[in-house]
Amino acid sequence: MRVIKKLSITFLFVIVGICSVMVSKVSSVKSAGGIKIDKAHFSDSMIYYCEKDFDTNHDGYLSQSEISKAKIIYDLMYDTKRYVYRDFRGIEYLTSLEKIELEHIRIVNFNVYKLPKLKSIKCTNCKFKKTGIKCDKLKSIEELIFFDTDIKYKGDFRYNKKLKSLSVYRANVNKVAVKKLKNLKSFEYFGDMKKINLSKNIKLEHLDINMSRADKIDISHNKKLKELRVGGSIKSFD
């Protein structure tokens, strides 16, 4: 009887062990095929975005299929009287993201520089904490729009060679380098810049510019210009 009991107990442990291995394998396979939506991978803000918009089957994971369909993040806080805190830790997992549009957001951990398909960033009345945004690392970006947002950036956009639309409107930028942006079609600026070189932006169609420290601007090379708005101290054109 003792031998039979020992064999039974041993057999039970073997079964439990096999089941544990099977559960572990299923869990690892699931995590290998996707990313678990938890604090190990994402901030609370990103967990909110993922659960609300991207985890379509509500299983607590982002599958590769779900990631491929995660194209846009909208967070527009129109009615708030104060900035809403958003930590973007984990956004780098959303590798199919194409557009980010934010309004009235206090932005933290905006690590978007390894998102290969990101084409557009629009920030209206936002605040970047500490380091701001490193625009020179956004090699594939086609649209950058900053309204009433201190981007904490020096204004050197020469590395954004795919840029078609650029708005730096009350963004605390006093110098903007756009000379090498040969694909630029729309440019808007409001600030204290002294001068701007638009001679190489031959595809420019829309120009809205307000410079408080410049008397004139040269648009003689911008033959495709369809819309022009000026303000500030600008009094003449070449």
Side-chain angles (χ1 to χ4, degrees), residues 63-126:
S63 67
Q64 292 303 314
S65 176
E66 288 170 331
I67 290 172
S68 70
K69 296 174 183 176
K71 305 285 188 183
I72 301 172
I73 289 180
Y74 282 116
D75 201 342
L76 311 178
M77 307 302 293
Y78 296 117
D79 300 326
T80 184
K81 292 183 179 179
R82 60 181 180 177
Y83 292 95
V84 177
Y85 177 90
R86 291 285 189 260
D87 185 341
F88 288 88
R89 181 177 62 82
I91 196 172
E92 61 271 16
Y93 292 111
L94 302 180
T95 51
S96 295
L97 207 60
E98 295 178 359
K99 183 175 183 178
I100 302 170
E101 186 169 345
L102 307 172
E103 182 164 341
H104 234 101
I105 304 296
R106 186 180 295 276
I107 301 167
V108 181
N109 292 324
F110 201 59
N111 187 21
V112 297
Y113 310 111
K114 293 183 179 180
L115 299 179
K117 297 182 179 180
L118 188 62
K119 303 297 182 188
S120 174
I121 297 174
K122 182 177 181 179
C123 298
T124 302
N125 203 8
C126 293

Side-chain angles (χ1 to χ4, degrees), residues 216-222 236-238:
K216 63 181 180 179
I217 57 172
D218 183 358
I219 56 172
S220 61
H221 300 276
N222 312 114
S236 64
F237 309 99
D238 290 336

Side-chain angles (χ1 to χ4, degrees), residues 141-155:
I141 205 78
E142 294 181 4
E143 181 180 53
L144 285 174
I145 299 179
F146 303 110
F147 284 104
D148 294 312
T149 299
D150 185 352
I151 59 176
K152 296 179 170 58
Y153 184 67
K154 58 187 177 180

